[in-house]
């Protein structure tokens, strides 16, 4: 059987954590503002299309 004593990401080369964190922050911002935009569009549709 394979030896699983080490976690792969702790020994992997090329892990760029600052870039990873920046990408994650960008994703969270996109989801937050995207959700707000869709909610605003739905509210405006409810007001003006009824």
């Amino acid at each position: 059987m394979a030896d699983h004593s080490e976690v792969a990401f702790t020994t992997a080369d090329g892990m760029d954590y600052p870039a990873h964190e920046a990408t994650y922050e960008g994703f969270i911002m996109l989801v937050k503002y995207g959700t707000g935009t869709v909610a605003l569009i739905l509210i405006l549709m409810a007001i003006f299309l009824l």
Side-chain angles (χ1 to χ4, degrees):
M1 287 200 144
D3 182 21
H4 296 291
S5 61
E6 290 187 51
V7 180
F9 65 84
T10 60
T11 58
D13 293 333
M15 296 297 283
D16 191 4
Y17 285 108
H20 169 76
E21 290 176 356
T23 302
Y24 180 72
E25 291 295 326
F27 172 75
I28 294 298
M29 186 173 55
L30 177 68
V31 168
K32 181 171 49 175
Y33 290 120
T35 302
T37 301
V38 169
L40 179 64
I41 290 170
L42 289 173
I43 290 168
L44 291 173
M45 286 174 64
I47 292 170
F48 292 111
L49 295 178
L50 286 180

